[in-house]
């Protein structure tokens, strides 16, 4: 492999070519990234500090927020700084590292969303056994399995990629490193690798999405036996999760369940799930959850009291 690799540095084309448009994007996306880190960081802090948010649902929400911070930080900081650079470059090793962490954290998020759906299923369909089934130890195991699943998935992706020879060209048609744009630079036919990658990424996303849909169909059927107040509370909690699932899985399935292309639309869809969605998650969960809003007020009240 080392003898066949003449490429050590890659040039990234970016999202747009017009320098003025890139400056506008910088002004727009920098606050979005800061809001992502602050919003998700606030949720992690609240769940850690507030005793009322130590239930399984909030343990998973805190883990999801931590993943969102790391996931967004894998791509967005370099993307933002590149918007002000005339020539956007990244080393081949740096590119592979970005691919590894991007897929690792992305799939960990998918598995966490599935775990959160399972938590809601047990809470609504088996309320009497909820505390026994979703013990603190089980919650931590499920979180660890989600991270492990993402790690194993990403190892497979990177292992496939590092065996490819790269001898030129070195221009990657994207604003960050991903598998399909990188495969186009390989000095060999990558059809088999592309199929494996599409199967690995796409089937995980599709199967997880089908599991999520099935779980919520079962939940909705079971809610018919609940009181009106119980249905409203359950639906309010589930609605936040369903919204996040649709925002994350829609673009992911669109990009990874079909052959690659060079359309600008693909890059714009990627911007949605790498930049926008991680910022929306804390907003969605906070606005629709009374316990989280109360925890924010208490945390803010303690902060103001301390300042006085």
């Amino acid at each position: 492999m080392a003898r066949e690799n003449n490429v050590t540095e890659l040039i990234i084309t970016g999202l747009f070519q017009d320098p003025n448009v890139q400056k506008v994007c910088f002004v727009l996306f920098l606050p979005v990234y800061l809001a992502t880190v602050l919003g998700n960081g606030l949720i992690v802090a609240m769940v850690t500090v507030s005793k009322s948010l130590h239930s399984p649902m909030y343990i998973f929400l805190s883990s999801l927020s931590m993943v969102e911070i790391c996931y967004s930080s894998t791509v967005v900081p370099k993307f933002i700084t590149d918007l002000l650079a005339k020539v956007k470059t990244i080393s081949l090793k740096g590119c592979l590292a970005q691919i590894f962490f991007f897929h690792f954290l992305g799939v960990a998020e998918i598995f966490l969303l599935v775990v959160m759906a399972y938590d809601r299923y047990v809470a609504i369909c088996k309320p009497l056994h909820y505390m026994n089934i979703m013990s603190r130890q089980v919650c931590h195991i499920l979180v660890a399995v989600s991270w492990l699943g993402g790690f194993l998935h990403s190892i497979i992706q990177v292992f496939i990629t590092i065996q490819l020879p790269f001898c030129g060209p070195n221009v990657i048609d994207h604003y960050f490193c991903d598998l399909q744009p990188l495969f186009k630079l390989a000095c060999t036919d990558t059809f088999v690798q592309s199929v494996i990658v599409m199967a690995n990424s796409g089937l995980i996303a599709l199967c997880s999405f089908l599991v999520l849909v099935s779980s919520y169909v079962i939940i909705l059927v079971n809610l018919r036996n609940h009181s009106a107040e119980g249905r409203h509370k359950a639906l309010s909690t589930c609605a936040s999760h369903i919204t996040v699932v649709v925002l994350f899985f829609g673009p992911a399935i669109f990009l990874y369940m079909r052959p690659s292309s060079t359309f600008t639309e693909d890059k714009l869809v990627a911007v949605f799930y790498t930049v926008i969605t991680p910022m929306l998650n804390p907003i969605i969960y906070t606005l629709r959850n009374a316990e989280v809003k109360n925890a924010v007020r208490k945390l803010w009240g303690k902060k103001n009291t301390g300042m006085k």
Side-chain angles (χ1 to χ4, degrees), residues 163-307:
Q163 297 183 75
L164 296 173
F166 296 96
C167 51
N170 68 332
V171 179
I172 187 165
D173 186 20
H174 216 309
Y175 66 89
F176 70 98
C177 283
D178 204 358
L179 291 163
Q180 295 294 353
L182 186 61
F183 282 177
K184 293 176 182 177
L185 305 184
C187 303
T188 186
D189 180 48
T190 58
F191 175 77
V192 175
Q193 289 85 349
S194 296
V195 170
I196 294 172
V197 162
M198 189 170 68
N200 193 7
S201 297
L203 289 179
I204 285 176
L206 183 61
C207 292
S208 299
F209 184 72
L210 292 176
V211 169
L212 286 164
V213 170
S214 300
S215 68
Y216 277 105
V217 169
I218 295 170
I219 287 171
L220 290 173
V221 170
N222 274 269
L223 282 176
R224 293 183 302 176
N225 301 323
H226 287 62
S227 63
E229 183 181 352
R231 282 197 299 269
H232 176 74
K233 185 177 180 181
L235 287 172
S236 179
T237 304
C238 293
S240 301
H241 188 250
I242 292 171
T243 304
V244 170
V245 166
V246 172
L247 288 174
F248 184 85
F249 277 87
I253 292 174
F254 172 78
L255 288 178
Y256 290 105
M257 281 300 293
R258 63 185 181 83
S260 63
S261 67
T262 56
F263 297 145
T264 303
E265 289 83 354
D266 284 13
K267 295 182 185 179
L268 295 176
V269 170
V271 167
F272 188 79
Y273 72 78
T274 57
V275 182
I276 307 299
T277 302
M279 178 198 68
L280 293 177
N281 287 357
I283 297 173
I284 292 167
Y285 280 110
T286 303
L287 290 178
R288 297 192 63 88
N289 193 299
E291 288 179 304
V292 174
K293 285 190 281 189
N294 290 334
V296 171
R297 293 191 192 101
K298 289 179 182 178
L299 194 65
W300 185 255
K302 287 180 181 179
K303 182 180 177 181
N304 289 339
T305 304
M307 290 174 66

Side-chain angles (χ1 to χ4, degrees), residues 6-292:
N6 299 326
V7 174
T8 58
E9 189 175 66
L10 301 171
I11 297 173
I12 300 172
T13 60
L15 186 60
F16 299 107
Q17 304 303 314
D18 189 329
N20 292 324
V21 175
Q22 292 187 61
K23 289 176 183 177
V24 171
C25 289
F26 176 85
V27 173
L28 291 174
F29 291 144
L30 179 59
V32 170
Y33 174 66
L34 294 176
T36 298
V37 174
L38 291 173
N40 285 288
L42 179 62
I43 287 180
V44 174
M46 282 191 304
V47 173
T48 303
V49 172
S50 178
K51 293 181 180 179
S52 64
L53 300 181
H54 283 179
S55 64
M57 181 174 71
Y58 296 110
I59 292 173
F60 297 138
L61 178 57
S62 175
S63 300
L64 180 67
S65 293
M66 182 60 70
V67 168
E68 292 285 26
I69 293 172
C70 299
Y71 175 74
S72 182
S73 298
T74 300
V75 172
V76 180
K78 177 160 177 54
F79 167 51
I80 290 174
T81 54
D82 279 348
L83 289 170
L84 300 180
K86 290 183 179 179
V87 181
K88 306 165 181 56
T89 62
I90 187 171
S91 68
L92 182 59
K93 289 182 180 179
C95 184
L96 291 171
Q98 190 176 63
I99 288 172
F100 171 79
F101 286 107
F102 178 71
H103 282 265
F104 168 32
L105 296 163
V107 172
E109 178 169 352
I110 287 175
F111 289 149
L112 274 173
L113 290 173
V114 172
V115 166
M116 291 174 77
Y118 174 69
D119 172 69
R120 292 300 84 206
Y121 162 76
V122 176
I124 294 169
C125 300
K126 299 183 179 181
L128 299 178
H129 303 284
Y130 179 72
M131 294 311 298
N132 290 329
I133 296 174
M134 300 301 294
S135 65
R136 197 172 186 83
Q137 183 181 7
V138 169
C139 291
H140 290 149
I141 289 173
L142 290 173
V143 169
V145 168
S146 298
W147 284 82
L148 180 61
F151 178 79
L152 293 175
H153 158 81
S154 194
I155 283 289
I156 293 170
Q157 305 290 67
V158 172
F159 180 74
I160 292 169
T161 308
I162 60 174
Q163 297 183 75
L164 296 173
F166 296 96
C167 51
N170 68 332
V171 179
I172 187 165
D173 186 20
H174 216 309
Y175 66 89
F176 70 98
C177 283
D178 204 358
L179 291 163
Q180 295 294 353
L182 186 61
F183 282 177
K184 293 176 182 177
L185 305 184
C187 303
T188 186
D189 180 48
T190 58
F191 175 77
V192 175
Q193 289 85 349
S194 296
V195 170
I196 294 172
V197 162
M198 189 170 68
N200 193 7
S201 297
L203 289 179
I204 285 176
L206 183 61
C207 292
S208 299
F209 184 72
L210 292 176
V211 169
L212 286 164
V213 170
S214 300
S215 68
Y216 277 105
V217 169
I218 295 170
I219 287 171
L220 290 173
V221 170
N222 274 269
L223 282 176
R224 293 183 302 176
N225 301 323
H226 287 62
S227 63
E229 183 181 352
R231 282 197 299 269
H232 176 74
K233 185 177 180 181
L235 287 172
S236 179
T237 304
C238 293
S240 301
H241 188 250
I242 292 171
T243 304
V244 170
V245 166
V246 172
L247 288 174
F248 184 85
F249 277 87
I253 292 174
F254 172 78
L255 288 178
Y256 290 105
M257 281 300 293
R258 63 185 181 83
S260 63
S261 67
T262 56
F263 297 145
T264 303
E265 289 83 354
D266 284 13
K267 295 182 185 179
L268 295 176
V269 170
V271 167
F272 188 79
Y273 72 78
T274 57
V275 182
I276 307 299
T277 302
M279 178 198 68
L280 293 177
N281 287 357
I283 297 173
I284 292 167
Y285 280 110
T286 303
L287 290 178
R288 297 192 63 88
N289 193 299
E291 288 179 304
V292 174

